[in-house]
Every structure is written in structure tokens, then in C-alpha cells.
Amino acid sequence: MMEAMDRRPAFQLLDGRTPEELFSDLPTPCYIIDEAGLQRNGKILSSVIKNTG
């Protein structure tokens, strides 16, 4: 199944703030995860496990 790509301009949801302004107070190291991508990859891995035993 092909997922639709997100075609919104980069950083559209930052309300006019730059990534630097938004993320400057985060502690480091900090990991930002794309939850939808993680779920997609989980489904793929689940399918691999199911089909290969």
C-alpha cells in the first residue's frame, strides 16, 4: 500500500518560528521521532517477521 506524501512546506507548523528558536532549549542529546514513520516501519517489520518466521 502506498502512503500519500506530506506536501506541506517545510516548517509550516512552526508558527513563524525558526527551527533554532523552537529547539534551542531542548536538552542534548535529544531525539526527535516521526511517529507516523515509526509506525509504518513497525508494520513493515511485523510483516517481515510474519512472512519469514
Side-chain angles (χ1 to χ4, degrees):
M1 173 173 66
M2 190 73 147
E3 298 280 335
M5 291 190 62
D6 186 350
R7 303 234 182 249
R8 292 176 292 183
F11 309 117
Q12 175 184 352
L13 300 176
L14 298 183
D15 297 323
R17 295 171 290 177
T18 66
E20 290 80 11
E21 291 169 332
L22 186 65
F23 301 123
S24 65
D25 292 333
L26 291 176
T28 58
C30 181
Y31 303 96
I32 299 172
I33 298 173
D34 174 7
E35 186 175 354
L38 189 60
Q39 289 176 344
R40 242 184 343 267
N41 288 344
K43 288 178 184 176
I44 293 169
L45 289 173
S46 177
S47 174
V48 169
I49 291 168
K50 178 181 169 187
N51 291 316
T52 62

